[in-house]
Amino acid sequence: TNSKAPSNGSSDGGHNPPKTSVVKKVTQELWMCNLCGQTFASNQTSEEHEKICIQMACCTSGDLFDPNSVVLPASDNPVLDSDAILLKENVRKLMCMSDQSVIKVIAAAKPYVLTLAELYCEHELKMLARDCAYYYHIERRAELRREQSGRWKALISTGAPPTSVPAKVLSNVKTRLSEAYELIKEGESKSERRDHYDNRNRSQTGERMDIVHHNGTYFLNCLVKNSAQVVKNELKRLAKIHWSEKQDELNNPFAKFRQNAQNYVVTLASLALVSDFNARRVAVQTSNDFYRLLVPELKRRGVRIETDIEYRSGAFFVLAINILSIDWIRFMEYTHEDIISRQNRLIRTGEENKIRWKFWKKIPTAIDACGYVIGLLYYVHWTISIPICYFWYYLFLRQFIDFFICQSLTDDLYRYVESKGMEMNLEVKSSSDQGSFMLAMLRQMRADERNQKKEKDQATADGGKPLLGDLLGPHIKEDKSPASPPPDFKPPENLEYVCLEIDLPVGIRRLRWALLRSDSEFQRNAIDVVEERYTNIVKGPWSKHDDIIGVPTADATDFVGATRETQALMPASAMVKANTCYSSIEIIEYNNHCFAYKSKTRTPEVPFGSSFYCWTQVVVYNLGQENCRMICSSGAEFPNSRPMVARQIESGIRTGTTESFVRFGETICRYA
């Protein structure tokens, strides 16, 4: 990379010629730095000098470069220190200005020259370094001020040094309250609104952290449904659209139009109940909330688990639960507190006095019996109770206790879903039963989709569903006259839960004949067989006045108190297998302004069926002009004691009776 310098053996002007030895040395080859022009006798020294010279010229922050500032590195060879040879100034400049020297310097300086982008980055880094130094200085000053005033502030706020226990406790409480305030003010973060099931299935990495299924895995099968409030809101909305509820509009000439509007309203209410749009939306949020809350909730009870959302389709989702370990002391304490709280609720409601004389009636189900045994172990010393728990858990009752743990969550889960204005059917299944249950559930979901599509098509069609004949009977002349309640009339009280309240385009006498006559085909064929799909129907006669109950001309208060027994085989569903229901119907009101009957139904073949009764009540008021108002309500009764799964039973009764009453009202409007 270096250039050869020309020899300088000729004399210069009047000067004497150099000595022979010196001339001989000078006439040898010389090596020159292409940048500064300094000449050396050896090529190695020249290359080292040129390398350092180019580095200093490219990396110096100044505008001018001084070649005399270049200092060669120390070397073990002493000859290099004396290799430098001085040339005349004009000769040195002539050699440095040659094209060959310039090209060689540029080629050697390429690794050290920065581009415009690199220069910009260097500038930005300098600015950032200056900013970081400034902010670090500000933060350090703030820390020093806090350190200086920390002890004084602690004494003012807590009255104790900051190292004391009260100060630490108050500081932790203050931190928690401030964090809670920030969460409330900011609302739900985007990370908490993420759908865990959807994100896991759409993972870009292809890795899914699924939990391992084994014989001890339990599955929570949840089906979210619309509540009766959805039907009530739909009826009120549609009633405001189609007609006014004023009494003077009953005598308008468009009675037929009003009747068709009523039929249309009831049909849309039925469609609103079976539609799963809201339920599907709530199911997405509920499944993520269950996945997020089950672990800390069971940890509070002393149970450590792992869970995951295994499946979700529409309003149905499945959570898998593996119980990893149990803190028996905490688990016994929580179970004991839960039993005490349920007994206190019984005392407040007055039900405790009814069952105090028989202790076994306080234990309505096997799940409650397990809870009572674990709660009683709370009074035993831990050196005895814990070995007993380990012995029974690992040798005999592990699956049953795991099932009890999963079932104990149902009350809290149902309370959460009800707070959102929805209903839910929940089943806890073991790993051995989950496969058949999932198959039945998917088959039921496909059948429901087909039925929903069919109902929508029939609702849009002119004829609607086919009729089996004039099962409501002929029109009655007295139903066309106006109606007013008697002065001493007291309407029957509704049951705990009002499922449906709707106006029907049919006279009260005509409807009373269709519903209360023991030989009426409307209740058996149109309701039980077609709508409810019952089989093996057996209906007994009324206990008194069986031949005249329901006759339009009969109006006797002696009919009140008449009872009849019925039974039928209910169809199987995904949640419950086919089972026989036994009903006892009683007339509680019978006159030309109002008639009502109440039914008490037992289903001993369903899970926990022997621990409850299902009450339903239908009350019909005469509005005149061949119109009446029907109010349907339901409730649950626990004859022994309120079981642990009481909220699950009540939710099932509400959803089942609401769907049945909506179909009931829709059928009446269709046959009217």
Side-chain angles (χ1 to χ4, degrees):
T1 60
N2 304 91
S3 301
K4 291 183 179 180
S7 61
N8 194 14
S10 61
S11 60
D12 186 12
H15 293 85
N16 295 325
K19 296 182 179 180
T20 306
S21 59
V22 176
V23 173
K24 183 177 180 181
K25 186 176 182 181
V26 172
T27 57
Q28 294 177 353
E29 293 182 346
L30 300 178
W31 302 90
M32 185 184 70
C33 174
N34 290 309
L35 183 63
C36 63
Q38 191 171 357
T39 311
F40 299 90
S42 63
N43 185 22
Q44 180 180 0
T45 307
S46 176
E47 288 181 350
E48 292 183 4
H49 173 84
E50 183 178 354
K51 182 178 180 181
I52 298 174
C53 193
I54 292 175
Q55 289 180 358
M56 293 184 64
C58 296
C59 302
T60 305
S61 59
D63 295 334
L64 298 177
F65 167 65
D66 184 11
N68 297 325
S69 63
V70 178
V71 180
L72 291 174
S75 176
D76 295 336
N77 190 358
V79 181
L80 296 178
D81 298 335
S82 60
D83 278 349
I85 298 176
L86 299 178
L87 293 179
K88 287 186 176 182
E89 185 68 19
N90 56 354
V91 176
R92 186 177 64 83
K93 291 182 178 180
L94 177 64
M95 295 299 298
C96 290
M97 294 297 294
S98 64
D99 295 339
Q100 183 181 5
S101 298
V102 174
I103 292 173
K104 289 182 178 181
V105 169
I106 292 174
K110 280 185 178 180
Y112 309 107
V113 177
L114 299 178
T115 62
L116 292 177
E118 292 173 339
L119 289 174
Y120 178 76
C121 292
E122 288 284 346
H123 176 73
E124 291 295 327
L125 289 174
K126 289 181 181 179
M127 296 297 103
L128 290 175
R130 188 179 65 179
D131 293 343
C132 289
Y134 173 76
Y135 288 118
Y136 175 78
H137 176 68
I138 296 297
E139 183 179 2
R140 182 58 184 165
R141 290 179 60 186
E143 290 180 357
L144 292 176
R145 284 196 298 268
R146 286 194 297 268
E147 291 177 0
Q148 293 174 358
S149 60
R151 186 177 182 83
W152 172 250
K153 289 183 178 180
L155 290 173
I156 293 177
S157 58
T158 63
T163 57
S164 63
V165 176
K168 292 181 179 180
V169 172
L170 292 176
S171 177
N172 292 336
V173 172
K174 181 180 179 181
T175 303
R176 295 294 179 86
L177 290 176
S178 61
E179 291 177 355
Y181 172 75
E182 292 296 331
L183 288 175
I184 295 173
K185 184 173 68 175
E186 295 176 3
E188 190 178 15
S189 63
K190 293 183 179 179
S191 60
E192 294 176 350
R193 293 195 297 267
R194 292 176 181 174
D195 185 1
H196 168 74
Y197 181 76
D198 187 61
N199 292 344
R200 187 191 63 178
N201 291 339
R202 297 183 181 180
S203 176
Q204 300 295 333
T205 60
E207 300 179 359
R208 289 182 51 172
M209 301 299 294
D210 296 332
I211 64 175
V212 180
H213 296 170
H214 48 76
N215 294 334
T217 303
Y218 280 85
F219 297 87
L220 265 66
N221 301 272
C222 305
L223 179 63
V224 182
K225 291 188 175 183
N226 288 319
S227 64
Q229 189 63 36
V230 177
V231 180
K232 296 177 184 178
N233 296 337
E234 188 69 12
L235 291 176
K236 291 180 180 179
R237 184 182 68 86
L238 294 172
K240 292 179 181 179
I241 295 175
H242 287 285
W243 74 85
S244 175
E245 297 180 352
K246 296 180 180 180
Q247 187 67 24
D248 55 354
E249 294 187 1
L250 294 177
N251 299 322
N252 58 39
F254 302 100
K256 188 65 177 178
F257 171 77
R258 185 175 185 275
Q259 178 178 347
N260 295 333
Q262 285 177 321
N263 298 341
Y264 181 66
V265 166
V266 179
T267 302
L268 289 182
S270 176
L271 294 178
L273 186 61
V274 300
S275 176
D276 64 341
F277 175 74
N278 291 331
R280 182 170 63 251
R281 178 176 53 83
V282 174
V284 173
Q285 182 181 0
T286 304
S287 60
N288 286 279
D289 291 343
F290 284 4
Y291 167 77
R292 180 170 50 89
L293 298 175
L294 281 181
V295 175
E297 176 61 27
L298 283 175
K299 184 178 180 181
R300 186 171 63 90
R301 307 183 184 196
V303 181
R304 189 169 65 90
I305 67 167
E306 60 176 356
T307 183
D308 199 2
I309 305 174
E310 292 295 328
Y311 178 80
R312 189 179 67 214
S313 176
F316 174 69
F317 62 91
V318 180
L319 272 76
I321 297 177
N322 282 337
I323 297 179
L324 304 178
S325 63
I326 302 176
D327 184 353
W328 291 103
I329 296 179
R330 186 182 299 178
F331 183 59
M332 288 186 291
E333 180 181 0
Y334 183 88
T335 306
H336 170 262
E337 293 176 354
D338 183 64
I339 293 174
I340 296 299
S341 63
R342 285 194 283 122
Q343 289 179 350
N344 292 335
R345 284 197 298 268
L346 288 176
I347 295 174
R348 288 195 299 269
T349 56
E351 297 181 6
E352 181 70 15
N353 296 329
K354 301 178 183 178
I355 59 176
R356 189 184 298 275
W357 59 280
K358 285 188 178 180
F359 175 77
W360 65 270
K361 285 195 172 185
K362 296 182 180 181
I363 310 176
T365 63
I367 296 295
D368 293 271
C370 180
Y372 269 97
V373 172
I374 296 175
L376 289 175
L377 289 176
Y378 173 76
Y379 295 100
V380 183
H381 195 268
W382 67 269
T383 57
I384 301 175
S385 60
I386 292 182
I388 292 175
C389 292
Y390 274 102
F391 176 78
W392 287 104
Y393 182 74
Y394 288 103
L395 291 182
F396 301 103
L397 300 177
R398 179 165 188 167
Q399 291 185 351
F400 186 75
I401 294 178
D402 289 349
F403 178 77
F404 166 78
I405 293 173
C406 297
Q407 198 70 47
S408 63
L409 290 168
T410 57
D411 190 71
D412 296 331
L413 299 183
Y414 274 96
R415 186 184 298 109
Y416 173 82
V417 174
E418 290 169 8
S419 65
K420 297 184 176 296
M422 305 296 290
E423 297 290 350
M424 178 181 67
N425 290 342
L426 185 145
E427 286 290 332
V428 180
K429 295 293 182 181
S430 62
S431 57
S432 59
D433 300 332
Q434 180 64 19
S436 59
F437 179 83
M438 277 288 294
L439 182 62
M441 175 58 71
L442 295 177
R443 187 185 299 114
Q444 182 67 32
M445 291 171 61
R446 289 193 295 268
D448 292 341
E449 291 178 359
R450 291 193 299 268
N451 294 336
Q452 183 177 352
K453 184 177 183 301
K454 184 178 179 181
E455 289 182 1
K456 288 182 179 180
D457 295 340
Q458 291 176 347
T460 56
D462 295 336
K465 293 183 180 180
L467 302 179
L468 302 179
D470 191 10
L471 301 183
L472 281 181
H475 293 269
I476 300 174
K477 183 179 179 181
E478 288 78 4
D479 290 336
K480 297 181 180 180
S481 59
S484 60
D488 57 345
F489 174 73
K490 293 183 180 179
E493 294 184 2
N494 297 322
L495 297 181
E496 178 183 1
Y497 189 77
V498 177
C499 303
L500 182 65
E501 182 176 356
I502 189 172
D503 292 348
L504 300 174
V506 60
I508 188 172
R509 295 172 179 83
R510 185 185 179 199
L511 183 61
R512 187 175 61 187
W513 179 87
L515 296 182
L516 299 184
R517 283 288 295 174
S518 59
D519 57 351
S520 174
E521 296 295 329
F522 176 77
Q523 183 72 36
R524 175 187 292 271
N525 297 335
I527 301 297
D528 295 343
V529 176
V530 176
E531 296 296 333
E532 303 296 338
R533 295 179 297 163
Y534 290 167
T535 57
N536 301 336
I537 302 173
V538 178
K539 292 182 177 291
W542 291 104
S543 60
K544 57 182 180 179
H545 306 292
D546 180 67
D547 54 341
I548 59 175
I549 288 180
V551 176
T553 57
D555 184 11
T557 56
D558 192 30
F559 294 167
V560 176
T563 60
R564 65 184 300 191
E565 303 292 332
T566 64
Q567 71 178 53
L569 181 63
M570 302 174 64
S573 64
M575 293 291 182
V576 182
K577 64 179 182 179
N579 62 94
T580 304
C581 63
Y582 304 89
S583 301
S584 177
I585 305 173
E586 179 185 2
I587 298 176
I588 59 176
E589 190 72 35
Y590 194 102
N591 53 64
N592 288 332
H593 178 72
C594 172
F595 75 91
Y597 60 90
K598 184 185 295 185
S599 175
K600 176 183 177 183
T601 304
R602 298 179 295 109
T603 54
E605 299 175 8
V606 302
F608 315 109
S610 59
S611 62
F612 70 94
Y613 298 142
C614 175
W615 285 93
T616 57
Q617 179 176 289
V618 177
V619 182
V620 181
Y621 297 97
N622 187 10
L623 299 180
Q625 302 293 331
E626 289 192 331
N627 285 276
C628 61
R629 175 168 296 172
M630 182 176 68
I631 301 176
C632 305
S633 57
S634 64
E637 178 188 357
F638 303 101
N640 298 331
S641 177
R642 186 177 177 87
M644 183 183 298
V645 293
R647 195 176 290 271
Q648 178 180 355
I649 295 171
E650 291 172 343
S651 178
I653 290 176
R654 287 195 299 267
T655 56
T657 55
T658 300
E659 294 173 357
S660 178
F661 283 136
V662 170
R663 291 192 296 267
F664 181 54
E666 183 183 8
T667 305
I668 294 175
C669 291
R670 192 168 67 251
Y671 280 86

